[in-house]
């Protein structure tokens, strides 16, 4: 008999993740939707950085970036990624591993439109991950783009989303004396049934 009760209860890991994020939005001082996204380069060398998770769908996690950035190139090349979302205030974390694909359609357009104007213009101006000689150069590019694109810029063709469809999700909560609670949800592919295991801390 499963002892997945309380915060671990439920048959839908995405619903559990949304519930945890909802709690964190009430307690975390900054960016409760921040994730540490891990990728690998063509030599298999790992890379990680903080990214903002923008949606937890019924079967996937979605975030956005510049497609010319290092992270996007590594995501496209490998087709796989992992992330961890950690909340100090709740003493909980969620680890996710899975398959990635681009979200480059109407959903990306809608999210882009929802951003502040300065953020939309900044997406046009920044050549993400490329060398920059000074902040002044970047701000001059922002001014140039602002004059060129006006108050309603379209989404840049080099900017959009990625959707991560997990094959593994682990929910972790802090326990007394380092005896943490860990439940791993694992499946072979997006169409398979989840196998749920409690793990030793």
């Amino acid at each position: 008999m499963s002892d997945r009760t309380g915060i671990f209860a439920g048959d839908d890991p995405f619903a559990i993740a949304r519930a945890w994020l909802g709690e964190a939005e009430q307690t975390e001082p900054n960016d409760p939707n921040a994730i540490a996204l891990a990728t690998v380069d063509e030599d298999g060398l790992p890379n990680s950085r903080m990214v903002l998770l923008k949606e937890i769908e019924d079967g996937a996690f979605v975030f956005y970036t510049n497609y010319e950035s290092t992270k996007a190139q590594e995501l496209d090349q490998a087709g796989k990624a992992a992330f961890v979302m950690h909340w100090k205030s709740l003493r909980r974390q969620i680890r996710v591993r899975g398959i990635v694909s681009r979200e480059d359609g109407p959903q990306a357009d809608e999210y882009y439109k929802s951003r502040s104007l300065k953020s939309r213009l900044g997406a046009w101006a920044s050549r993400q991950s490329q060398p920059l000689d000074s902040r002044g150069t970047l701000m001059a590019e922002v001014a140039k783009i602002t004059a060129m694109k006006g108050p309603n810029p379209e989404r840049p063709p080099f900017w959009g989303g990625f959707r991560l469809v997990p094959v593994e999700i682990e929910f972790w909560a802090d326990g007394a004396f380092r005896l943490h609670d860990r439940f791993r949800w694992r499946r072979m592919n997006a169409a398979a049934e989840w196998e749920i295991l409690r793990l030793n801390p």
Side-chain angles (χ1 to χ4, degrees):
M1 182 176 177
S2 172
D3 62 346
R4 286 191 306 108
T5 59
I7 62 172
F8 295 100
D11 298 322
D12 180 353
F14 302 100
I16 297 171
R18 280 191 290 269
W20 284 25
L21 177 56
E23 288 185 62
E25 287 170 347
Q26 306 304 313
T27 59
E28 283 295 298
N30 293 298
D31 297 329
N33 60 329
I35 60 176
L37 177 69
T39 57
V40 293
D41 66 15
E42 59 186 9
D43 296 320
L45 188 65
N47 219 338
S48 64
R49 76 290 284 160
M50 302 306 295
V51 177
L52 295 181
L53 183 69
K54 288 302 179 178
E55 189 169 357
I56 302 176
E57 299 178 336
D58 288 339
F61 299 87
V62 180
F63 55 91
Y64 293 85
T65 190
N66 185 313
Y67 287 143
E68 295 174 354
S69 66
T70 298
K71 81 172 78 66
Q73 292 173 23
E74 292 176 354
L75 289 166
D76 283 335
Q77 180 268 325
K80 302 171 186 175
F83 72 77
V84 61
M85 181 180 292
H86 176 241
W87 300 292
K88 285 183 177 294
S89 61
L90 296 179
R91 297 179 179 271
R92 296 182 209 166
Q93 66 181 6
I94 301 175
R95 296 175 57 236
V96 178
R97 304 168 73 206
I99 309 303
V100 292
S101 60
R102 287 191 180 193
E103 170 47 65
D104 199 25
Q107 187 172 329
D109 292 335
E110 283 303 309
Y111 172 66
Y112 180 77
K113 288 178 186 175
S114 75
R115 305 177 88 209
S116 71
L117 176 58
K118 288 184 178 180
S119 292
R120 283 178 281 155
L121 293 167
W124 274 101
S126 175
R127 296 179 174 86
Q128 197 170 100
S129 302
Q130 300 304 308
L132 177 66
D133 60 3
S134 71
R135 185 166 183 83
T137 298
L138 176 61
M139 299 316 293
E141 185 65 19
V142 171
K144 175 181 166 185
I145 290 294
T146 300
M148 184 185 309
K149 295 294 180 181
N152 191 27
E154 72 277 16
R155 178 170 62 90
F158 52 81
W159 191 98
F162 279 96
R163 175 174 285 104
L164 192 157
V165 176
V167 294
E168 187 173 303
I169 305 175
E170 181 186 315
F171 296 93
W172 179 102
D174 183 61
F177 310 109
R178 310 299 293 173
L179 298 178
H180 313 304
D181 288 305
R182 298 173 61 190
F183 287 94
R184 184 185 66 203
W185 298 59
R186 178 184 281 175
R187 60 187 179 180
M188 295 299 295
N189 54 62
E193 293 291 320
W194 290 104
E195 173 196 48
I196 309 170
L197 290 175
R198 177 185 273 276
L199 303 179
N200 271 279

